[in-house]
Amino acid sequence: MNRQPVHISKHLLWACVSFMVLLFSMPSSAATTAAISPEPGNYCPSRNILLISAEELSASLGLVMSSRAALVDKDQKTAISKLASAGTILRLAASRGVAARTILLIDAIIQSRTGGDYAQMLAWFPLLQTYLLTLPNETTVSTADDLIGRAEDIMQGEEGGDPLVLLKKARHMLACDGLDIPLQEAIQAQDNLMKQLDQNTKSGAYDTLLDSLRRALAYTVGNSEK
């Protein structure tokens, strides 16, 4: 006579167990998803921005080639003038897109540090926060924002640590390595070449700059077709 109630209780027990398993598995999945952080260096510009950058990189390449040709012809004045113009356009290409402009501001803030005084750096943070507000509300941006907020807290003495490390991490979070790395290398190569360009400079001194430009152009053109 007691077998039927026992049978019913078993069904109820299994239903309760299944419900509890489901209940406890949901927070675990959510926590796992929340723990996944965006990969730095993968915040890349849209096709339209890449096409504009490709135009500017192409113009810069033409000026670099003209500069090298002038150097070979012993026309140092023209070689320097063309190379300087190429540098201006390279820096313009590096500013395309809101993320790129935010990166440039972070670079400027880092360079503004004087000794252990953070006052000059902190003065730029309201503008940096305004820049961040113009970016889409995405995980990558919120992660960069958190890193910048922590850097500001350190500068204000509310936390310990190195704020420059956090600012550089925020910069990398907003960067597109495929374009940013060769473009920054090209800017550095142009700057180095400007400092050494004279009548004794060989045409081979342009090789590093030209290689960086080639890689930057390959990325912009290759990815603007997608």
Side-chain angles (χ1 to χ4, degrees), residues 150-172:
R150 288 168 56 198
E152 186 176 15
D153 289 342
I154 293 172
M155 292 180 196
Q156 292 173 339
E158 297 174 11
E159 287 187 27
D162 188 345
L164 298 186
V165 171
L166 295 175
L167 286 174
K168 289 175 182 178
K169 286 183 177 181
R171 183 202 188 285
H172 193 198

Side-chain angles (χ1 to χ4, degrees), residues 50-68 79 81-94 96 183 186 190 206 209-210 213-214 216-218 220-221:
L50 288 175
L51 286 173
I52 295 172
S53 296
E55 292 175 1
E56 291 165 342
L57 288 169
S58 297
S60 183
L61 176 62
L63 287 165
V64 172
M65 291 296 193
S66 296
S67 174
R68 187 174 68 169
S81 175
K82 296 286 187 181
L83 186 61
S85 297
T88 300
I89 298 177
L90 275 175
R91 286 163 175 80
L92 184 60
R96 292 298 180 184
L183 185 48
Q190 184 271 345
Y206 285 78
L209 173 54
L210 290 170
L213 273 172
R214 177 189 58 77
L217 269 168
T220 55
V221 174

Side-chain angles (χ1 to χ4, degrees), residues 2-15:
N2 294 328
R3 297 176 67 180
Q4 186 174 356
V6 172
H7 181 69
I8 294 173
S9 65
K10 286 182 179 179
H11 280 284
L12 289 173
L13 178 61
W14 280 111

